[in-house]
Amino acid sequence: MLAQDDCQVGDAFTLASLEGEGRKYNRCWAIAKELTNSTVTVEVLDATITVKLENLNKINSADDERKLPQILKRIRRLPEVESLEQGAKVFLKDLSKRTNLTSLDEDLLFCLEKRYGVTE
């Protein structure tokens, strides 16, 4: 089975059954960045990793899948801030495991962006 048959660049997935160092990304959502015959390179909160097709679970909500690439761009900018506080790091890590962000989640993300000066 080829990766191109099951996904496209920009698709959102949750990660599962990762082993070794990648284990910390289990249950995180990710965005497909590059496809090869048998693997997919995905972006997660703080890294770009390559996984096998069996490590990807499709996100059920089309609305959530549509929003997640933009949310990922926003949250990936924050860890680059040197003075990012631990509470902000914990919040971002929690966001990376939830595909259905509430309006409060989005408000808090906006507040963090504003506080650390990373708004567009």
Side-chain angles (χ1 to χ4, degrees):
M1 183 175 292
L2 299 176
Q4 296 86 339
D5 294 341
D6 288 330
C7 67
Q8 298 177 9
V9 170
D11 284 353
F13 299 90
T14 56
L15 300 174
S17 304
L18 296 171
E19 297 177 358
E21 284 187 37
R23 213 149 91 223
K24 67 182 177 181
Y25 297 112
N26 284 329
R27 296 188 337 264
C28 290
W29 51 269
I31 307 299
K33 182 84 171 160
E34 183 180 333
L35 312 174
T36 66
N37 285 341
S38 60
T39 63
V40 180
T41 300
V42 296
E43 291 184 320
V44 292
L45 170 67
D46 59 355
T48 301
I49 60 173
T50 301
V51 299
K52 296 177 184 175
L53 284 173
E54 59 261 22
N55 299 118
L56 301 175
N57 292 325
K58 198 79 168 142
I59 292 176
N60 294 330
S61 167
D63 189 45
D64 291 340
E65 185 176 13
R66 182 184 51 76
K67 289 179 184 179
L68 290 175
Q70 182 60 33
I71 297 292
L72 183 63
K73 285 179 188 175
R74 292 172 62 195
I75 64 176
R76 282 192 79 163
R77 292 185 307 210
L78 285 161
E80 296 172 3
V81 174
E82 287 184 32
S83 59
L84 192 66
E85 294 178 32
Q86 186 62 30
K89 291 176 186 177
V90 170
F91 173 71
L92 294 175
K93 185 175 181 180
D94 182 59
L95 281 185
S96 75
K97 294 189 184 253
R98 291 187 287 127
T99 57
N100 185 7
L101 275 56
T102 66
S103 59
L104 178 59
D105 293 331
E106 294 198 34
D107 288 348
L108 291 170
L109 179 57
F110 176 77
C111 287
L112 286 175
E113 290 172 318
K114 188 173 177 182
R115 170 165 170 91
Y116 290 105
V118 294
T119 56
E120 291 181 312

